[in-house]
């Protein structure tokens, strides 16, 4: 993508490339991030069949090798859905390179692990999962202005046409994620390694239930932020909401994690931040344009930006503890 500053690596959801997220990601450089978006094999502009390989951990390890090749030694790892599951794999395997793991409606957590295991032996369950994913993506419109609706409709049209031409572009990545090893041991490994993490989840997510996000927070020791009224597809459909979320997190746990690592975007130059996170003569610097500020517009109001922080789940329950409302 571009920008200057602390590397932020974004991993997309199943059946998608980075393009549907482009409008949201293009807002993040103004926060002091060098944004890197990686297309999974067979997705977006990346070569390779989507069906190749059934080991999810190998796909996650491939992202690590790409970052090694680019010279990204440390980064904020942000993943949506399947991408969030990859962030967990990467952070558990290479905790020293994760400045902070930001899990956006990640396909992880004990309840989702159990549901995935059932679906693999019961095709109707898998069909319902795919149907829920499609409905969630098409249904969410709340809070969009006219221009955002038009832009999102264009993204949906391209995604639907791609799915109709090749249905496996949706089913294969979902199946790959569902066949992955359980995520709970990885979340615990992140916690044991001291990896800073934040869980952000849509309250009305139809694909990954909120109870799975609660379990992600419990197992990883991360705070849980719930976006009231948001569906699984909020990252794509409401680009300015991601800006609002990341802005708020920079003033909370994400900012604390970066400050502890000495790479907070504020107070240091972009060159200093890159020197602290990138290998000498990193190839990445030759691949991205030096975008300093893409858009300085504020999020369109508290109804869009509001999220509720939960201190953590109550012991022995699946419910999140009472939280406080944070609006930006």
């Amino acid at each position: 993508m571009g920008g200057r500053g602390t590397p932020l690596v974004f991993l997309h959801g199943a059946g998608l490339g980075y393009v549907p997220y482009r409008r949201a990601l293009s807002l993040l450089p103004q926060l002091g991030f060098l944004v890197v978006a990686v297309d999974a094999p067979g997705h977006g502009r990346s070569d390779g069949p989507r069906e190749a390989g059934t080991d999810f951990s190998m796909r996650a390890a491939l992202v690590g090798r790409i970052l090694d090749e680019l010279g990204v030694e440390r980064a904020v790892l942000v993943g949506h859905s399947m991408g969030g599951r990859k962030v967990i794999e990467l952070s558990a395997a290479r905790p020293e390179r994760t400045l902070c793991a930001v899990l956006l409606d990640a396909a992880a957590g004990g309840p989702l692990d159990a549901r995935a295991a059932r679906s693999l032996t019961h095709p109707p369950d898998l069909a319902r999962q795919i149907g829920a994913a499609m409905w969630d993506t098409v249904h969410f419109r709340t809070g969009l202005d006219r221009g955002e609706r038009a832009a999102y409709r264009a993204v949906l049209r391209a995604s639907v046409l791609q799915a109709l031409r090749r249905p496996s572009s949706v089913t294969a990545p979902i199946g790959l994620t569902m066949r992955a090893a359980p995520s709970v041991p990885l979340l615990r490994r992140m916690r044991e390694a001291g990896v800073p993490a934040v869980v952000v989840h849509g309250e009305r997510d139809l694909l990954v239930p909120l109870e799975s996000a609660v379990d992600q927070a419990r197992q990883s020791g991360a705070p849980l932020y719930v976006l009231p009224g948001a569906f699984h597809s909020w990252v794509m459909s409401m680009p300015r909401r991601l800006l609002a979320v990341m802005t708020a997190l920079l003033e909370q746990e994400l900012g604390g994690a970066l400050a502890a690592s000495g790479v907070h975007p504020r107070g240091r130059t972009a060159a200093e931040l890159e020197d602290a996170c990138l290998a000498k003569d990193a190839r990445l610097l030759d691949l991205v344009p030096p975008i300093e500020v893409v858009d300085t517009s504020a999020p369109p109001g508290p109804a869009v930006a509001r999220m509720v922080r939960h201190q953590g789940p109550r012991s022995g329950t699946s419910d999140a503890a009472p939280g406080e409302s944070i609006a930006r």
Side-chain angles (χ1 to χ4, degrees), residues 164-314:
L164 291 175
R165 286 194 300 266
R166 190 179 183 188
S168 63
S169 66
V170 177
T171 58
I174 291 178
L176 182 68
T177 306
M178 295 175 70
R179 288 192 296 272
S183 62
V184 170
L186 299 173
L187 290 163
R188 291 174 179 169
R189 195 180 307 166
M190 285 174 54
R191 183 172 190 167
E192 292 167 359
V195 176
V198 180
V199 178
V200 181
H201 212 84
E203 179 186 34
R204 300 178 64 185
D205 190 324
L206 300 179
L207 187 58
V208 181
L210 184 57
E211 62 178 343
S212 291
V214 173
D215 194 58
Q216 292 171 37
R218 174 189 294 113
Q219 303 296 347
S220 65
L224 168 64
Y225 287 86
V226 178
L227 305 179
F231 287 72
H232 188 78
S233 58
W234 67 269
V235 185
M236 296 179 291
S237 61
M238 303 185 72
R240 283 183 286 176
R241 189 164 198 173
L242 181 61
L243 173 62
V245 166
M246 295 301 293
T247 300
L249 292 182
L250 277 173
E251 298 178 9
Q252 303 291 330
E253 290 79 12
L254 175 56
L258 295 181
S261 300
V263 293
H264 197 290
R266 296 174 184 169
R268 300 185 67 181
T269 67
E272 289 174 334
L273 295 170
E274 290 164 5
D275 286 343
C277 297
L278 302 178
K280 185 178 180 181
D281 300 323
R283 291 184 60 195
L284 178 65
L285 296 179
D286 296 326
L287 300 177
V288 294
I291 302 173
E292 295 293 345
V293 176
V294 177
D295 185 356
T296 58
S297 62
V304 175
R306 180 172 174 259
M307 58 185 185
V308 179
R309 183 188 189 280
H310 295 271
Q311 299 293 336
R314 292 189 291 269

Side-chain angles (χ1 to χ4, degrees), residues 119-205:
S119 298
L120 289 174
T121 58
H122 193 228
D125 282 353
L126 178 58
R128 281 194 289 271
Q129 290 281 338
I130 295 172
M134 293 181 174
W135 174 248
D136 183 294
T137 302
V138 173
H139 176 67
F140 186 38
R141 295 287 189 276
T142 305
L144 302 185
D145 61 30
R146 182 176 300 177
E148 290 171 333
R149 285 175 182 266
Y152 189 50
R153 279 196 295 269
V155 169
L156 288 179
R157 280 196 298 270
S159 300
V160 169
L161 288 174
Q162 178 176 277
L164 291 175
R165 286 194 300 266
R166 190 179 183 188
S168 63
S169 66
V170 177
T171 58
I174 291 178
L176 182 68
T177 306
M178 295 175 70
R179 288 192 296 272
S183 62
V184 170
L186 299 173
L187 290 163
R188 291 174 179 169
R189 195 180 307 166
M190 285 174 54
R191 183 172 190 167
E192 292 167 359
V195 176
V198 180
V199 178
V200 181
H201 212 84
E203 179 186 34
R204 300 178 64 185
D205 190 324

